[in-house]
Amino acid sequence: MAGSRGEFSSRFGFVMAASGSAVGLGNIWGFPTQAASNGGAAFLLVYLLLAFLLAYPVLMAELILGRHAHSNAVRALRQVSPLRNVSQIGALTGIVGFIVASLILSFYAIVAGWMIAFCLSAIAELAGARAFANWLTSFGLWRNLLSMLIFMALTIGIVSAGVKEGIERWSERLMPMLLITLLALVLYVLTLEGAMTGLEVYLLPDFSRALSPQLILDALGSAFFSLSLGVGTMLIYGSYVSDDENLPLLGGIVTLVDIFVAVLAGFLVLPAMYVALHNGVEIFTQAGALISEDTLIFTVLPQLFATMGLPGILVAIIFFNLMTIAALTSSISMLEVPVAYAVEEFNAERHLAAWMIGGLIAGISGIILLNFELLFGLVVTLTTRYGQPILGFMFCIYAGWLWRRDALLQELRKGYPNVERGLFWKIWPWYVKLVCPLIIAAIIGRSLFG
Ligand code: PFF
């Protein structure tokens, strides 16, 4: 079985693909403002700790389950136990996982399409096509549909080329590009007037804010989204890792890259917001909080770019290109989940499976766009606030309670012969068994009961 499946050809390829999945829109449009509004450097520290205390163990559960089975989530969870009921619930969890992954992709593709539209708009502006540039930045059904379809076609094109030729090759190209672009933008923005105030706001530590229990639960929820957990993306990427790789190390690197990019994005976004303020752009909501998420990306930053003249247009092209890349390396991991399932369980041809499933997801995105007010927020909430944590909980139960400890150990030993002597084996099994399910239950409880 394993021989006929794809496999990452190198450690670098896996790290780029998995951190590409993790690093996405969430890192750039969510994290920086969340940090700045909630204790600055203190929040960074708390977040770093939380990512390693909760998100990393769940990531490891997915990677180990995937590598052990060398197959999709449905089969991997089905195999964990010989008991019929446990096996059936496992398969069901895998199926719900790929449905949730597809639904996340259906809204993600819409937002990523806007990034493409804003990038194209800046190019059109440069070419003097004003009217077209305006059309691309105004919220309308055709603009939304078209840009979503372009983004989905890119995603499908990469996934249909396969694990090595598509996902690995493109992640290896796009991720270094993303890091270099982000770094270049940070350095440029830091030279502008007002930037240092933003930096202060971003980094000034305030522990009283960063330690509130409510905030910690919210941060845990975003760590889950940020590391692409619960829906089987990391499981399927883990299933393409060779047996002689040290999984705890690989998982640690992916977690660190994800956090690093989120923190680095703060060095861009916060200074940019205060440069905007300096240039007369409003950056606070009526309640006095920093503007965040879509309004930040599609209103505040474009207003800032508009105040900068020609350099502003170039920065806009580079910035929205960066956002598109971040989204693309994430979306391919989402599409890979159902595609791998179709290829492995039904012997579907990869090209066909990618185009058909991708087409179906684009159809769902279309339905969301036609009923935007009603459906968009609903799909986001259902998948990210409930779907991901509930499925993450199930992964912990399968890895922590239902899988035999000796089988687990054997799997880890493959690429890490002395694993029993390391810290990982002393802590992780307990963590994934007791601590993670409890914390995730608290997150779900907070989503349910406020
Ligand atoms: N980790 C991505 C981000 O931070 O934007 C989002 C994501 C990717 C969520 C893949 C879920 C997923 F399966």
Side-chain angles (χ1 to χ4, degrees), residues 6-60:
E7 187 171 282
F8 291 116
S9 61
S10 68
R11 175 181 294 186
F12 180 69
F14 166 78
V15 170
M16 288 300 103
S19 51
S21 169
V23 170
L25 301 177
N27 296 59
I28 302 172
W29 89 4
F31 181 83
T33 40
Q34 199 185 11
S37 320
N38 295 300
F43 180 85
L44 295 190
L45 270 178
V46 172
Y47 186 83
L48 198 79
L49 213 72
L50 293 179
F52 270 94
L53 290 186
L54 179 81
Y56 171 71
V58 181
L59 169 67
M60 287 313 302

Short mmCIF file of all heavy atoms in Angstrom, two decimals, residues 6-60:
data_model
loop_
_atom_site.label_atom_id
_atom_site.label_comp_id
_atom_site.label_asym_id
_atom_site.label_seq_id
_atom_site.Cartn_x
_atom_site.Cartn_y
_atom_site.Cartn_z
N GLY A 6 1.84 8.48 -2.37
CA GLY A 6 2.87 9.51 -2.43
C GLY A 6 3.65 9.55 -1.12
O GLY A 6 3.21 9.01 -0.10
N GLU A 7 4.82 10.13 -1.18
CA GLU A 7 5.61 10.33 0.04
C GLU A 7 6.44 11.59 -0.16
O GLU A 7 6.88 11.87 -1.27
CB GLU A 7 6.51 9.11 0.28
CG GLU A 7 7.24 9.15 1.61
CD GLU A 7 7.97 7.85 1.94
OE1 GLU A 7 7.31 6.88 2.35
OE2 GLU A 7 9.19 7.81 1.77
N PHE A 8 6.64 12.36 0.93
CA PHE A 8 7.51 13.52 0.79
C PHE A 8 8.93 13.02 0.57
O PHE A 8 9.35 12.06 1.22
CB PHE A 8 7.46 14.38 2.06
CG PHE A 8 6.14 15.08 2.24
CD1 PHE A 8 5.31 14.79 3.32
CD2 PHE A 8 5.72 16.03 1.32
CE1 PHE A 8 4.09 15.43 3.47
CE2 PHE A 8 4.50 16.68 1.48
CZ PHE A 8 3.69 16.38 2.56
N SER A 9 9.65 13.68 -0.35
CA SER A 9 10.96 13.13 -0.68
C SER A 9 12.02 13.58 0.32
O SER A 9 13.09 13.02 0.37
CB SER A 9 11.36 13.52 -2.09
OG SER A 9 11.42 14.93 -2.18
N SER A 10 11.74 14.63 1.09
CA SER A 10 12.76 15.08 2.05
C SER A 10 12.09 15.67 3.28
O SER A 10 10.91 16.00 3.27
CB SER A 10 13.63 16.16 1.41
OG SER A 10 12.84 17.31 1.22
N ARG A 11 12.92 15.81 4.33
CA ARG A 11 12.43 16.44 5.55
C ARG A 11 12.03 17.89 5.27
O ARG A 11 11.00 18.37 5.73
CB ARG A 11 13.56 16.40 6.59
CG ARG A 11 13.23 17.13 7.85
CD ARG A 11 14.36 17.09 8.81
NE ARG A 11 14.62 15.72 9.27
CZ ARG A 11 15.50 15.42 10.21
NH1 ARG A 11 16.20 16.37 10.78
NH2 ARG A 11 15.69 14.18 10.59
N PHE A 12 12.86 18.56 4.47
CA PHE A 12 12.58 19.95 4.12
C PHE A 12 11.21 20.06 3.45
O PHE A 12 10.40 20.94 3.76
CB PHE A 12 13.68 20.48 3.20
CG PHE A 12 13.48 21.91 2.79
CD1 PHE A 12 13.63 22.94 3.71
CD2 PHE A 12 13.15 22.23 1.47
CE1 PHE A 12 13.45 24.26 3.33
CE2 PHE A 12 12.97 23.55 1.08
CZ PHE A 12 13.13 24.57 2.01
N GLY A 13 10.95 19.10 2.54
CA GLY A 13 9.68 19.12 1.81
C GLY A 13 8.51 18.99 2.77
O GLY A 13 7.53 19.73 2.67
N PHE A 14 8.62 18.08 3.74
CA PHE A 14 7.53 17.93 4.70
C PHE A 14 7.36 19.19 5.54
O PHE A 14 6.24 19.67 5.74
CB PHE A 14 7.78 16.73 5.64
CG PHE A 14 6.85 16.75 6.82
CD1 PHE A 14 5.53 16.34 6.68
CD2 PHE A 14 7.28 17.23 8.06
CE1 PHE A 14 4.65 16.41 7.76
CE2 PHE A 14 6.40 17.30 9.13
CZ PHE A 14 5.09 16.88 8.98
N VAL A 15 8.49 19.72 6.04
CA VAL A 15 8.39 20.89 6.92
C VAL A 15 7.77 22.07 6.16
O VAL A 15 6.91 22.78 6.69
CB VAL A 15 9.78 21.27 7.50
CG1 VAL A 15 9.73 22.62 8.20
CG2 VAL A 15 10.24 20.20 8.48
N MET A 16 8.14 22.26 4.91
CA MET A 16 7.56 23.35 4.13
C MET A 16 6.05 23.12 3.90
O MET A 16 5.24 24.03 4.03
CB MET A 16 8.25 23.47 2.76
CG MET A 16 9.65 24.01 2.81
SD MET A 16 9.75 25.67 3.52
CE MET A 16 10.35 25.36 5.15
N ALA A 17 5.69 21.85 3.59
CA ALA A 17 4.28 21.57 3.31
C ALA A 17 3.44 21.72 4.58
O ALA A 17 2.39 22.38 4.58
CB ALA A 17 4.13 20.16 2.74
N ALA A 18 3.92 21.13 5.69
CA ALA A 18 3.10 21.17 6.91
C ALA A 18 3.09 22.58 7.50
O ALA A 18 2.04 23.05 7.98
CB ALA A 18 3.64 20.17 7.93
N SER A 19 4.23 23.27 7.46
CA SER A 19 4.15 24.64 7.99
C SER A 19 3.40 25.53 7.01
O SER A 19 2.77 26.51 7.41
CB SER A 19 5.53 25.20 8.37
OG SER A 19 6.41 25.05 7.31
N GLY A 20 3.41 25.16 5.73
CA GLY A 20 2.60 25.89 4.76
C GLY A 20 1.13 25.75 5.08
O GLY A 20 0.35 26.70 4.96
N SER A 21 0.73 24.56 5.51
CA SER A 21 -0.66 24.36 5.91
C SER A 21 -0.99 25.23 7.13
O SER A 21 -2.03 25.87 7.21
CB SER A 21 -0.89 22.88 6.24
OG SER A 21 -2.14 22.71 6.85
N ALA A 22 -0.05 25.22 8.08
CA ALA A 22 -0.30 25.95 9.32
C ALA A 22 -0.29 27.46 9.11
O ALA A 22 -1.17 28.19 9.58
CB ALA A 22 0.75 25.55 10.36
N VAL A 23 0.70 27.93 8.37
CA VAL A 23 0.81 29.38 8.15
C VAL A 23 -0.22 29.78 7.10
O VAL A 23 -0.17 29.33 5.97
CB VAL A 23 2.23 29.73 7.63
CG1 VAL A 23 2.28 31.17 7.17
CG2 VAL A 23 3.26 29.46 8.69
N GLY A 24 -1.18 30.59 7.51
CA GLY A 24 -2.21 30.98 6.56
C GLY A 24 -2.77 32.34 6.92
O GLY A 24 -2.13 33.14 7.63
N LEU A 25 -3.98 32.58 6.46
CA LEU A 25 -4.60 33.89 6.72
C LEU A 25 -4.70 34.15 8.22
O LEU A 25 -4.56 35.27 8.68
CB LEU A 25 -5.99 33.92 6.08
CG LEU A 25 -6.00 33.70 4.57
CD1 LEU A 25 -7.42 33.68 4.03
CD2 LEU A 25 -5.18 34.78 3.87
N GLY A 26 -4.96 33.06 8.98
CA GLY A 26 -5.11 33.18 10.43
C GLY A 26 -3.91 33.85 11.07
O GLY A 26 -4.06 34.70 11.96
N ASN A 27 -2.71 33.50 10.62
CA ASN A 27 -1.51 34.06 11.24
C ASN A 27 -1.41 35.55 11.01
O ASN A 27 -0.97 36.30 11.87
CB ASN A 27 -0.25 33.45 10.61
CG ASN A 27 -0.15 31.98 10.86
OD1 ASN A 27 -1.04 31.23 10.48
ND2 ASN A 27 0.89 31.54 11.51
N ILE A 28 -1.79 35.97 9.79
CA ILE A 28 -1.49 37.36 9.43
C ILE A 28 -2.64 38.30 9.79
O ILE A 28 -2.42 39.40 10.28
CB ILE A 28 -1.12 37.44 7.93
CG1 ILE A 28 0.10 36.53 7.70
CG2 ILE A 28 -0.80 38.88 7.52
CD1 ILE A 28 0.49 36.35 6.26
N TRP A 29 -3.89 37.83 9.60
CA TRP A 29 -4.94 38.82 9.90
C TRP A 29 -5.54 38.65 11.29
O TRP A 29 -6.27 39.49 11.76
CB TRP A 29 -5.98 38.89 8.81
CG TRP A 29 -7.18 37.98 8.87
CD1 TRP A 29 -7.52 37.10 9.86
CD2 TRP A 29 -8.21 37.92 7.90
NE1 TRP A 29 -8.69 36.49 9.55
CE2 TRP A 29 -9.14 36.97 8.35
CE3 TRP A 29 -8.45 38.59 6.70
CZ2 TRP A 29 -10.29 36.66 7.63
CZ3 TRP A 29 -9.59 38.28 6.00
CH2 TRP A 29 -10.49 37.32 6.46
N GLY A 30 -5.23 37.58 11.96
CA GLY A 30 -5.80 37.40 13.29
C GLY A 30 -4.81 37.67 14.41
O GLY A 30 -5.04 38.52 15.28
N PHE A 31 -3.70 37.00 14.34
CA PHE A 31 -2.79 37.01 15.48
C PHE A 31 -2.26 38.39 15.89
O PHE A 31 -2.33 38.74 17.06
CB PHE A 31 -1.62 36.04 15.20
CG PHE A 31 -0.65 35.97 16.31
CD1 PHE A 31 -0.88 35.15 17.40
CD2 PHE A 31 0.49 36.76 16.30
CE1 PHE A 31 0.01 35.12 18.46
CE2 PHE A 31 1.38 36.74 17.34
CZ PHE A 31 1.14 35.91 18.42
N PRO A 32 -1.73 39.19 14.94
CA PRO A 32 -1.11 40.44 15.38
C PRO A 32 -2.04 41.35 16.16
O PRO A 32 -1.66 41.86 17.23
CB PRO A 32 -0.69 41.10 14.05
CG PRO A 32 -0.50 39.96 13.12
CD PRO A 32 -1.55 38.97 13.49
N THR A 33 -3.27 41.53 15.68
CA THR A 33 -4.16 42.45 16.40
C THR A 33 -4.62 41.82 17.71
O THR A 33 -4.82 42.53 18.70
CB THR A 33 -5.39 42.83 15.55
OG1 THR A 33 -5.83 41.67 14.85
CG2 THR A 33 -5.08 43.93 14.59
N GLN A 34 -4.79 40.51 17.71
CA GLN A 34 -5.18 39.85 18.96
C GLN A 34 -4.09 40.07 20.01
O GLN A 34 -4.37 40.38 21.17
CB GLN A 34 -5.35 38.35 18.69
CG GLN A 34 -6.16 37.65 19.76
CD GLN A 34 -6.22 36.13 19.55
OE1 GLN A 34 -5.50 35.57 18.73
NE2 GLN A 34 -7.06 35.47 20.30
N ALA A 35 -2.83 39.95 19.58
CA ALA A 35 -1.72 40.15 20.51
C ALA A 35 -1.69 41.58 21.00
O ALA A 35 -1.59 41.84 22.21
CB ALA A 35 -0.41 39.78 19.83
N ALA A 36 -1.80 42.53 20.06
CA ALA A 36 -1.68 43.94 20.44
C ALA A 36 -2.78 44.35 21.40
O ALA A 36 -2.56 45.14 22.33
CB ALA A 36 -1.72 44.81 19.20
N SER A 37 -3.99 43.78 21.22
CA SER A 37 -5.11 44.21 22.08
C SER A 37 -5.11 43.46 23.41
O SER A 37 -5.93 43.75 24.27
CB SER A 37 -6.45 43.95 21.40
OG SER A 37 -6.38 44.25 20.05
N ASN A 38 -4.27 42.45 23.54
CA ASN A 38 -4.39 41.64 24.74
C ASN A 38 -3.09 41.43 25.51
O ASN A 38 -2.80 40.33 25.98
CB ASN A 38 -4.95 40.26 24.36
CG ASN A 38 -6.36 40.37 23.83
OD1 ASN A 38 -7.26 40.82 24.53
ND2 ASN A 38 -6.56 40.00 22.58
N GLY A 39 -2.31 42.47 25.61
CA GLY A 39 -1.14 42.36 26.48
C GLY A 39 0.19 42.28 25.76
O GLY A 39 1.21 42.02 26.38
N GLY A 40 0.19 42.49 24.44
CA GLY A 40 1.45 42.58 23.70
C GLY A 40 2.39 41.41 23.94
O GLY A 40 2.01 40.25 23.76
N ALA A 41 3.62 41.73 24.35
CA ALA A 41 4.64 40.68 24.50
C ALA A 41 4.19 39.61 25.50
O ALA A 41 4.55 38.44 25.37
CB ALA A 41 5.95 41.29 24.95
N ALA A 42 3.40 40.01 26.51
CA ALA A 42 2.90 39.03 27.48
C ALA A 42 2.02 38.01 26.78
O ALA A 42 2.08 36.81 27.03
CB ALA A 42 2.12 39.73 28.59
N PHE A 43 1.19 38.50 25.85
CA PHE A 43 0.33 37.59 25.09
C PHE A 43 1.18 36.66 24.23
O PHE A 43 0.90 35.47 24.13
CB PHE A 43 -0.63 38.40 24.20
CG PHE A 43 -1.55 37.54 23.38
CD1 PHE A 43 -2.74 37.08 23.91
CD2 PHE A 43 -1.22 37.18 22.09
CE1 PHE A 43 -3.59 36.26 23.16
CE2 PHE A 43 -2.06 36.37 21.33
CZ PHE A 43 -3.25 35.91 21.88
N LEU A 44 2.24 37.20 23.64
CA LEU A 44 3.11 36.36 22.81
C LEU A 44 3.64 35.19 23.62
O LEU A 44 3.64 34.04 23.18
CB LEU A 44 4.31 37.14 22.27
CG LEU A 44 4.05 38.29 21.31
CD1 LEU A 44 5.36 38.78 20.71
CD2 LEU A 44 3.13 37.85 20.20
N LEU A 45 4.07 35.51 24.86
CA LEU A 45 4.62 34.45 25.72
C LEU A 45 3.56 33.42 26.06
O LEU A 45 3.78 32.22 25.96
CB LEU A 45 5.12 35.07 27.03
CG LEU A 45 6.56 35.53 27.01
CD1 LEU A 45 6.93 36.17 28.34
CD2 LEU A 45 7.47 34.31 26.78
N VAL A 46 2.38 33.91 26.44
CA VAL A 46 1.30 32.99 26.80
C VAL A 46 0.93 32.13 25.59
O VAL A 46 0.75 30.92 25.70
CB VAL A 46 0.06 33.78 27.30
CG1 VAL A 46 -1.13 32.87 27.50
CG2 VAL A 46 0.39 34.49 28.59
N TYR A 47 0.88 32.75 24.44
CA TYR A 47 0.49 32.02 23.23
C TYR A 47 1.51 30.93 22.89
O TYR A 47 1.16 29.81 22.55
CB TYR A 47 0.36 33.01 22.05
CG TYR A 47 -0.18 32.37 20.80
CD1 TYR A 47 -1.55 32.20 20.62
CD2 TYR A 47 0.67 31.92 19.80
CE1 TYR A 47 -2.05 31.60 19.47
CE2 TYR A 47 0.18 31.32 18.66
CZ TYR A 47 -1.18 31.17 18.49
OH TYR A 47 -1.67 30.57 17.36
N LEU A 48 2.78 31.31 23.04
CA LEU A 48 3.85 30.36 22.76
C LEU A 48 3.72 29.13 23.66
O LEU A 48 3.81 27.99 23.23
CB LEU A 48 5.19 31.04 23.03
CG LEU A 48 6.41 30.38 22.42
CD1 LEU A 48 6.50 30.73 20.95
CD2 LEU A 48 7.68 30.84 23.12
N LEU A 49 3.44 29.42 24.92
CA LEU A 49 3.29 28.34 25.90
C LEU A 49 2.08 27.47 25.55
O LEU A 49 2.14 26.24 25.54
CB LEU A 49 3.06 29.00 27.26
CG LEU A 49 3.63 28.25 28.44
CD1 LEU A 49 5.13 28.38 28.43
CD2 LEU A 49 3.07 28.84 29.73
N LEU A 50 0.97 28.14 25.23
CA LEU A 50 -0.26 27.40 24.92
C LEU A 50 -0.09 26.55 23.67
O LEU A 50 -0.54 25.41 23.62
CB LEU A 50 -1.42 28.37 24.68
CG LEU A 50 -1.90 29.16 25.87
CD1 LEU A 50 -3.02 30.09 25.46
CD2 LEU A 50 -2.35 28.24 26.98
N ALA A 51 0.60 27.11 22.69
CA ALA A 51 0.78 26.36 21.45
C ALA A 51 1.53 25.07 21.75
O ALA A 51 1.21 24.02 21.21
CB ALA A 51 1.54 27.21 20.44
N PHE A 52 2.52 25.15 22.65
CA PHE A 52 3.27 23.94 22.95
C PHE A 52 2.53 23.03 23.93
O PHE A 52 2.71 21.82 23.92
CB PHE A 52 4.68 24.27 23.44
CG PHE A 52 5.62 24.35 22.27
CD1 PHE A 52 5.89 25.57 21.66
CD2 PHE A 52 6.14 23.20 21.71
CE1 PHE A 52 6.70 25.63 20.52
CE2 PHE A 52 6.95 23.24 20.59
CZ PHE A 52 7.22 24.46 19.99
N LEU A 53 1.68 23.61 24.77
CA LEU A 53 0.98 22.78 25.75
C LEU A 53 -0.22 22.08 25.15
O LEU A 53 -0.59 21.00 25.57
CB LEU A 53 0.52 23.63 26.94
CG LEU A 53 1.64 24.12 27.83
CD1 LEU A 53 1.09 24.83 29.05
CD2 LEU A 53 2.54 22.97 28.26
N LEU A 54 -0.87 22.70 24.20
CA LEU A 54 -2.08 22.06 23.68
C LEU A 54 -1.99 21.73 22.20
O LEU A 54 -2.20 20.59 21.79
CB LEU A 54 -3.30 22.95 23.92
CG LEU A 54 -4.54 22.29 23.34
CD1 LEU A 54 -5.09 21.24 24.28
CD2 LEU A 54 -5.62 23.28 23.00
N ALA A 55 -1.64 22.72 21.40
CA ALA A 55 -1.70 22.48 19.97
C ALA A 55 -0.64 21.48 19.52
O ALA A 55 -0.92 20.57 18.74
CB ALA A 55 -1.54 23.81 19.23
N TYR A 56 0.57 21.60 20.05
CA TYR A 56 1.63 20.67 19.65
C TYR A 56 1.28 19.21 19.97
O TYR A 56 1.42 18.34 19.10
CB TYR A 56 2.97 21.10 20.29
CG TYR A 56 4.08 20.10 20.13
CD1 TYR A 56 4.68 19.90 18.89
CD2 TYR A 56 4.55 19.35 21.21
CE1 TYR A 56 5.70 18.97 18.73
CE2 TYR A 56 5.57 18.42 21.06
CZ TYR A 56 6.14 18.24 19.81
OH TYR A 56 7.14 17.31 19.67
N PRO A 57 0.79 18.90 21.18
CA PRO A 57 0.42 17.50 21.44
C PRO A 57 -0.66 16.97 20.49
O PRO A 57 -0.60 15.82 20.08
CB PRO A 57 -0.11 17.53 22.88
CG PRO A 57 0.49 18.73 23.49
CD PRO A 57 0.68 19.72 22.40
N VAL A 58 -1.62 17.81 20.14
CA VAL A 58 -2.67 17.33 19.23
C VAL A 58 -2.08 17.15 17.82
O VAL A 58 -2.39 16.18 17.12
CB VAL A 58 -3.88 18.30 19.20
CG1 VAL A 58 -4.96 17.77 18.26
CG2 VAL A 58 -4.44 18.49 20.60
N LEU A 59 -1.22 18.08 17.44
CA LEU A 59 -0.53 17.93 16.15
C LEU A 59 0.21 16.60 16.12
O LEU A 59 0.17 15.85 15.14
CB LEU A 59 0.45 19.10 15.95
CG LEU A 59 1.44 18.99 14.79
CD1 LEU A 59 0.72 19.05 13.45
CD2 LEU A 59 2.50 20.09 14.84
N MET A 60 0.89 16.29 17.22
CA MET A 60 1.65 15.03 17.28
C MET A 60 0.71 13.83 17.17
O MET A 60 1.05 12.84 16.53
CB MET A 60 2.47 14.95 18.57
CG MET A 60 3.68 15.85 18.60
SD MET A 60 4.65 15.75 17.09
CE MET A 60 5.06 14.02 17.06
#
